[in-house]
């Protein structure tokens, strides 16, 4: 199967996964908020944010493992593949040890002295934190097997298991209505059990479908050093990401309390849902981008980055525009209780997500080169700067929405920085990126938004939501075809449509 057709096929599976898991997750969020209440939901959000600080460890090793596995598959080196997988397991074990030691010390101190936890809920917050750490340990081991599956581009199984995981979480949420007692504690216990079940499924599938890849810790010192080095620099980047994302939640708590944390919790769920639209495309294309670079196909490599950047932005704009135009209506249908500032948070977060959708292809391009030291240091320092900037703004009386406005401002700065690195190391000229990505996106977005914006101005409530969604579904594909695609891409789209119609 050709590379582009495989990307399309894998993207299809990921979109099926997305729609099902997103629907389940949004419904589950409604029940969780009802069952836990605003206060306990706020406790869960802020304590979860604290534990999520350590998820950067998973992100760093996961990115390194995926890059090296895809690279070895690209050059068809089975021995190197085994060594990379084994080294990945060793690194994961080492990281788990660090996580348990540092996590316990830092978490207990933060809950006791830094966070604004409602009186009488300190023990519950600590209980939630312990199980959150355990779920991160499970996630670390799961990423080893998940990345092996993704490197082989077996997206169908990944999609099916993700749906199963969402169903498990919905089951967990549904059980809250049955159990009595402290529902916050019961919730995190059941979530941990569901995570463990999914890990077992990944291990069994990998053992059956990739028998040549053994579960062993003997990977060779050279591979281990390479993966540790790569993990280290990616961990720095993911630490910076989590510092600003989860740190902002804690800063928000320090100045405005758990009610605003609840608003941010809802906002982040919407952000995760809409970002999935673009992440699916990138997820399907990432292994192929790395393999094209490994084979030395630099023209295909660059074209993939241009194309995936445009598609990632536009598929996120598809749900993003109707949500921004109808935020209040959607929240009223979704939630029985709407925390303060949730509407403005969601609108601003979608603006940030649209900018952030352009980052993925540039980032994976840098990962493919393997030359990431200077890149990760520079971008990490800029991301971390968001946290003290927001703190200073709040300290001087800034309103809560600055928690997201700072992210939008810094994301523009980072796009320029990333393009500079891509130009130097990925053979991607800045001028070409502007003409082949930025300009087509501005034209497409501007033209496709005209009718939905007019409809939102004239209509209200459910009618506005329905009409703006329909108009977006019609206007965006048309504008994309004429303004967002190159002549060659339009020919390929027509050829694909004719082929499907004939068969």
């Amino acid at each position: 199967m050709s590379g582009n057709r495989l990307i399309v096929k894998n993207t299809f599976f990921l979109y099926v996964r997305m729609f099902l898991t997103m629907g389940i997750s949004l419904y589950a969020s409604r029940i969780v908020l009802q069952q836990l209440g605003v206060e306990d939901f706020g406790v869960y959000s802020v304590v979860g944010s604290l534990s999520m600080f350590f998820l950067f460890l998973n992100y760093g090793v996961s990115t390194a493992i995926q890059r090296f596995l895809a690279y070895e598959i690209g050059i068809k080196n089975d021995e190197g593949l085994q060594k990379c997988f084994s080294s990945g397991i060793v690194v994961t074990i080492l990281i788990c040890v660090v996580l348990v030691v540092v996590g316990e010390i830092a978490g207990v101190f933060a809950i006791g002295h830094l966070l604004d936890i409602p009186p009488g809920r300190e023990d519950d917050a600590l209980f939630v934190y312990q199980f959150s750490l355990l779920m991160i340990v499970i996630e670390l081991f799961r990423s080893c097997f998940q990345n092996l599956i993704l490197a082989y581009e077996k997206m169908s199984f990944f999609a099916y298991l993700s749906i199963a995981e969402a169903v498990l979480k919905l089951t967990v949420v549904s059980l809250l209505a049955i159990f009595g007692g402290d529902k916050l504690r019961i919730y995190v216990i059941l979530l941990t059990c569901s995570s463990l079940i999914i890990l077992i499924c990944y291990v069994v599938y990998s053992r059956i479908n990739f028998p040549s890849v053994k579960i062993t810790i003997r990977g060779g010192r050279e591979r281990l050093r390479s993966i540790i080095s790569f993990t280290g620099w990616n961990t720095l980047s993911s630490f910076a990401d989590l510092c600003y994302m989860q740190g902002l939640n804690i800063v928000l708590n320090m100045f405005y309390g758990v009610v605003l944390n609840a608003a941010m919790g809802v906002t982040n769920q919407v952000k995760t849902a809409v970002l999935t639209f673009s992440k699916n495309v990138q997820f399907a294309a990432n292994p192929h981008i790395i393999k094209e670079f490994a084979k030395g196909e630099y023209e295909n490599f660059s074209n993939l980055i241009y194309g995936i950047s445009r598609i990632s932005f536009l598929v996120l704009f598809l749900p993003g525009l109707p949500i921004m135009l109808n935020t209040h209506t959607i929240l009223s249908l979704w939630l029985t209780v709407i925390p303060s500032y949730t509407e403005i948070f969601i609108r601003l977060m979608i603006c940030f997500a649209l900018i952030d959708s352009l980052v993925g292809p540039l980032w994976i391009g840098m990962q493919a080169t393997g030359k990431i030291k200077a890149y990760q240091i520079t971008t990490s320092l800029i991301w971390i700067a968001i946290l003290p900037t927001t703190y200073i703004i709040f300290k001087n009386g800034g309103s809560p929405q600055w928690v997201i406005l700072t992210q939008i401002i810094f994301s523009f700065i980072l796009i320029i920085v990333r393009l500079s690195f891509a130009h130097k190391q990925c053979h991607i000229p800045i001028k070409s990126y502007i003409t082949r990505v930025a300009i087509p996106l501005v034209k497409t977005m501007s033209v496709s938004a005209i009718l939905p914006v007019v409809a939102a101005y004239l209509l209200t409530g459910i009618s506005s939501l329905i009409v703006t969604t329909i108009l977006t579904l019609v206007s965006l594909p048309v504008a994309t075809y004429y303004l967002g695609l190159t002549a060659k891409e339009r020919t390929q789209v027509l050829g694909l449509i004719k082929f499907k119609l004939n068969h």
Side-chain angles (χ1 to χ4, degrees), residues 2 48 134 322 373 380:
S2 67
L134 178 57
K373 179 180 177 179
S380 296

Side-chain angles (χ1 to χ4, degrees), residues 44 47-48 50-52 54 99-109 111 122-138 184-185 188-189 192:
Y44 176 75
V47 174
L50 178 62
S51 65
M52 289 291 284
F54 300 100
L99 169 66
V100 172
V101 174
V102 178
E104 287 294 332
I105 297 173
V108 172
F109 174 79
I111 291 174
E122 293 84 357
D123 289 343
D124 292 319
L126 188 60
F127 186 89
V128 170
Y129 177 73
Q130 299 294 337
F131 275 86
S132 297
L133 283 183
L134 178 57
M135 281 189 278
I136 293 175
V137 170
I138 295 172
L184 182 58
R185 294 193 178 207
V188 294
I189 291 172
T192 304

Side-chain angles (χ1 to χ4, degrees), residues 236-263:
L236 173 64
S237 174
S238 57
F239 176 73
D241 288 346
L242 285 168
C243 272
Y244 97 83
M245 287 189 295
Q246 307 305 329
L248 287 178
N249 209 7
I250 293 174
V251 170
L252 191 64
N253 172 266
M254 293 169 63
F255 285 92
Y256 293 101
V258 295
V259 174
L260 268 293
N261 287 127

Side-chain angles (χ1 to χ4, degrees), residues 170-189:
L170 179 60
T171 304
V172 166
V173 171
S174 300
L175 289 174
L176 288 178
I178 299 175
F179 287 106
D182 193 326
K183 293 188 177 183
L184 182 58
R185 294 193 178 207
I186 294 171
Y187 181 53
V188 294
I189 291 172

Side-chain angles (χ1 to χ4, degrees), residues 319-335:
L321 180 60
I323 292 174
M324 284 191 290
L325 296 176
N326 303 278
T327 309
H328 180 74
T329 300
I330 293 171
L331 287 174
S332 299
L333 293 171
W334 175 26
L335 303 174

